[in-house]
């Protein structure tokens, strides 16, 4: 008996990496055989109390732990596709943001090694070049222990010499998850329908949901919560970022005003979906052709490129049509004194003046960085559940 007790007293902490040990939630139980003094060790899920590696708190002794566990189980996103925020409930969007906050705190602030995706392969299909999407996804997936594989149009037969459906089936055999940055939403739909692995929208012509998650994280870090914020969009209404704001803002309790030139209004089907979400969440969306009307009294001003990749032949016409839509100090003076400014980048000077872009009101660099933490959250949740260590923030 005394020999077994000494063994228990000297048991080491599990020999996983720090990050895995933090997320393991394990406790030790033992029993003694009557003659051979065997030590049986079993693992049970419990709640971690904080970031320390030395203290474990029983889940049964913590009501907050029970709430977190219930929330996690109710919001499991494993094997889902991430094509548009329209497909996700309010709680599911909050779960993705909560995880992004938590990963940023653990990995960036606490320098924790957390690599649950070892052995997982990510296929990154890029028809359209990118700085932020590529850097955030490659570095983020690698940080989680996975192996990202970059595939440009010059690297694979995506719809060339092999139809898209066949490519989806083949790529699924070599990867655990697929992120695609493509020209057409139809390409994403085909990858999701004919492939067998989760598909993440890295951008298409209709939606850009990863960008909106990063924007929401950035605004939450600045304001402390999202509910009640008034967002003013100034620019192209028929834009993938605009459309994703329309799908996301109502779910987070934010009001949205969209100012766009005539002929560049929001897609009608997207507007119908947004109206339904507003009624469901008691928020508002207002459409106008006057940037001043949209910006007046708002908390946040957002704009994006006037000439999307693939529309370069329309540049001269678009620059003329968007005259008067540049975000300037004069326009921003109509907003609240402590307004903030967002732009998903890359930015052109005709879209926003240097005085605004480089001002204290601009959150564009935090916004760019948060592309990493939000895509990490999405990729993690589609492959395996995540139970945040930090308390759930107020949204």
């Amino acid at each position: 008996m005394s020999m077994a007790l000494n063994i228990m007293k000297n048991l080491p902490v599990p020999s996983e990496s720090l990050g895995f040990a933090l997320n393991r939630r394990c406790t030790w139980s033992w029993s003694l055989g009557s003659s051979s003094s065997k030590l049986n060790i079993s693992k049970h899920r419990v709640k971690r109390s904080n970031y320390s590696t030395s203290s474990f708190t029983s889940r049964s002794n913590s009501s907050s732990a029970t709430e977190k566990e219930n929330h996690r189980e109710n919001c499991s996103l494993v094997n889902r596709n991430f094509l548009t925020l329209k497909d996700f409930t309010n709680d599911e969007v909050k779960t993705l943001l909560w995880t992004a906050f938590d990963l940023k705190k653990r990995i960036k602030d606490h320098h924790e090694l957390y690599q649950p995706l070892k052995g997982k392969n990510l296929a990154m299909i890029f028809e359209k070049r990118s700085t932020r999407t590529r850097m955030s996804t490659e570095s983020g997936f690698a940080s989680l222990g996975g192996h990202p594989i970059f595939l440009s149009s010059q690297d694979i037969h995506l719809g060339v010499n092999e139809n898209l459906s066949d490519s989806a089936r083949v790529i699924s055999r070599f990867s655990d998850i697929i992120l695609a940055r493509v020209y057409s939403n139809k390409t994403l739909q085909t990858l999701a329908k004919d492939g067998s692995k989760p598909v993440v929208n890295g951008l298409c012509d209709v939606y850009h949901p990863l960008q909106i998650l990063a924007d929401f994280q950035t605004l939450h870090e600045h304001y402390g919560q999202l509910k009640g914020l008034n967002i003013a969009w100034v620019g192209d209404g028929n834009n993938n970022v605009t459309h994703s704001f329309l799908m996301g803002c109502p779910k987070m309790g934010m009001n949205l005003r969209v100012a766009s030139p005539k002929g560049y209004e929001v897609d009608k089907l997207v507007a119908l979906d947004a109206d339904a979400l507003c009624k469901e969440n008691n928020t508002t969306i207002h459409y106008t052709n006057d940037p001043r009307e949209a910006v007046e009294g708002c908390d946040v001003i957002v704009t994006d490129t006037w000439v999307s990749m693939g529309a370069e032949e329309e540049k001269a016409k678009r620059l003329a049509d968007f005259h008067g839509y540049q975000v300037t100090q004069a326009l921003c003076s109509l907003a609240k004194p402590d307004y903030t400014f967002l732009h998903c980048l890359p930015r052109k000077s005709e879209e926003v003046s240097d005085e605004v872009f480089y001002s204290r009101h601009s959150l564009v660099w935090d916004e760019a960085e948060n592309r990493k933490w939000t895509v990490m959250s999405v990729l993690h949740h589609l492959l395996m559940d995540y139970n945040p260590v930090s308390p759930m923030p107020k949204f």
Side-chain angles (χ1 to χ4, degrees):
M1 177 72 174
S2 60
M3 179 181 71
L5 289 174
N6 286 333
I7 293 174
M8 274 300 299
K9 182 178 180 181
N10 295 312
L11 268 175
V13 175
S15 60
E16 295 103 350
S17 68
L18 173 62
F20 190 71
L22 282 172
N23 198 42
R24 171 71 88 172
R25 283 96 165 114
C26 60
T27 186
W28 304 97
S29 64
W30 56 276
S31 61
L32 295 173
S34 58
S35 59
S36 60
S37 298
K38 287 184 177 179
L39 180 67
N40 297 322
I41 299 175
S42 60
K43 296 179 180 179
H44 304 281
R45 293 184 66 82
V46 296
K47 192 260 184 188
R48 281 288 304 177
S49 60
N50 52 42
Y51 288 94
S52 169
T53 59
S54 61
S55 61
F56 287 78
T57 303
S58 172
R59 199 176 97 193
S60 62
N61 294 331
S62 172
S63 60
S64 63
T66 302
E67 292 172 2
K68 286 172 65 174
E69 185 71 11
N70 289 339
H71 182 89
R72 184 187 67 78
E73 291 174 355
N74 291 337
C75 291
S76 178
L77 307 177
V78 175
N79 291 327
R80 294 269 298 273
N81 294 313
F82 185 78
L83 304 182
T84 168
L85 293 178
K86 173 186 173 183
D87 298 335
F88 291 79
T89 67
N90 301 15
D91 281 345
E92 288 170 344
V93 176
K94 291 175 182 178
T95 294
L96 291 171
L97 290 171
W98 182 12
T99 296
F101 298 144
D102 199 63
L103 290 173
K104 187 174 184 179
K105 187 172 185 179
R106 292 175 68 175
I107 297 171
K108 181 182 180 180
D109 298 344
H110 293 267
H111 308 289
E112 180 182 335
L113 180 65
Y114 175 64
Q115 296 188 323
L117 302 186
K118 284 184 177 179
K120 301 293 185 182
N121 292 308
L122 164 67
M124 297 172 55
I125 300 172
F126 276 53
E127 289 184 338
K128 304 179 78 171
R129 65 185 181 273
S130 169
T131 299
R132 280 145 295 277
T133 302
R134 180 173 180 180
M135 284 293 297
S136 62
T137 304
E138 284 199 22
S139 64
F141 199 69
S143 293
L144 293 172
H147 178 59
I149 305 168
F150 181 77
L151 305 169
S152 72
S153 298
Q154 287 72 44
D155 297 318
I156 57 174
H157 301 287
L158 193 68
V160 179
N161 297 328
E162 180 176 64
N163 67 57
L164 187 58
S165 295
D166 289 352
S167 292
R169 292 179 171 90
V170 171
I171 293 170
S172 293
R173 296 295 182 103
F174 294 117
S175 60
D176 299 283
I177 190 167
I178 299 168
L179 182 142
R181 181 179 172 90
V182 296
Y183 285 99
S184 173
N185 186 49
K186 293 180 181 178
T187 300
L188 288 172
Q189 299 297 330
T190 301
L191 289 172
K193 178 174 67 73
D194 295 332
S196 58
K197 299 298 167 61
V199 175
V200 177
N201 180 0
L203 175 143
C204 71
D205 56 336
V206 183
Y207 295 114
H208 195 359
L210 287 176
Q211 181 62 56
I212 301 311
L213 285 182
D215 290 357
F216 287 175
Q217 179 175 5
T218 304
L219 293 175
H220 193 284
E221 288 173 348
H222 182 82
Y223 290 102
Q225 70 176 65
L226 299 175
K227 187 176 181 180
L229 289 178
N230 294 299
I231 314 295
W233 174 272
V234 179
D236 191 352
N238 193 13
N239 171 286
N240 48 25
V241 179
T242 320
H243 291 165
S244 290
F245 265 114
L246 287 163
M247 295 300 98
C249 283
K251 294 175 184 286
M252 295 296 101
M254 294 184 284
N255 304 306
L256 181 62
R257 308 169 193 170
V258 179
S260 54
K262 292 181 179 179
Y264 295 91
E265 290 88 357
V266 169
D267 179 87
K268 291 182 179 179
L269 292 178
V270 174
L272 288 174
D273 289 335
D275 289 344
L277 287 172
C278 284
K279 292 177 182 177
E280 180 182 333
N281 293 282
N282 196 30
T283 61
T284 62
I285 294 177
H286 177 69
Y287 303 98
T288 179
N289 300 122
D290 183 358
R292 295 172 61 86
E293 182 182 349
V295 168
E296 187 171 6
C298 74
D299 299 288
V300 185
I301 303 171
V302 193
T303 192
D304 189 13
T305 182
W306 296 348
V307 185
S308 295
M309 207 178 301
E312 288 83 0
E313 70 279 1
E314 302 175 9
K315 182 175 181 179
K317 181 180 185 303
R318 282 176 168 265
L319 289 179
D321 292 343
F322 281 86
H323 178 72
Y325 277 78
Q326 184 190 40
V327 177
T328 63
Q329 281 188 326
L331 181 63
C332 294
S333 67
L334 300 173
K336 290 182 179 178
D338 58 348
Y339 80 91
T340 54
F341 172 78
L342 297 177
H343 192 304
C344 66
L345 308 179
R347 159 260 184 179
K348 305 292 191 302
S349 58
E350 63 265 19
E351 299 153 3
V352 52
S353 68
D354 286 353
E355 291 77 15
V356 173
F357 187 75
Y358 294 108
S359 73
R360 63 180 180 84
H361 299 279
S362 179
L363 303 179
V364 296
W365 312 122
D366 293 334
E367 180 186 12
E369 180 194 338
N370 285 334
R371 288 292 308 277
K372 175 176 179 175
W373 308 110
T374 46
V375 75
M376 288 171 69
S377 172
V378 170
L379 295 170
H380 193 305
H381 274 287
L382 300 191
L383 288 171
M384 62 177 65
D385 289 327
Y386 180 84
N387 195 11
V389 178
S390 57
M392 185 175 185
K394 180 180 180 180
F395 287 100

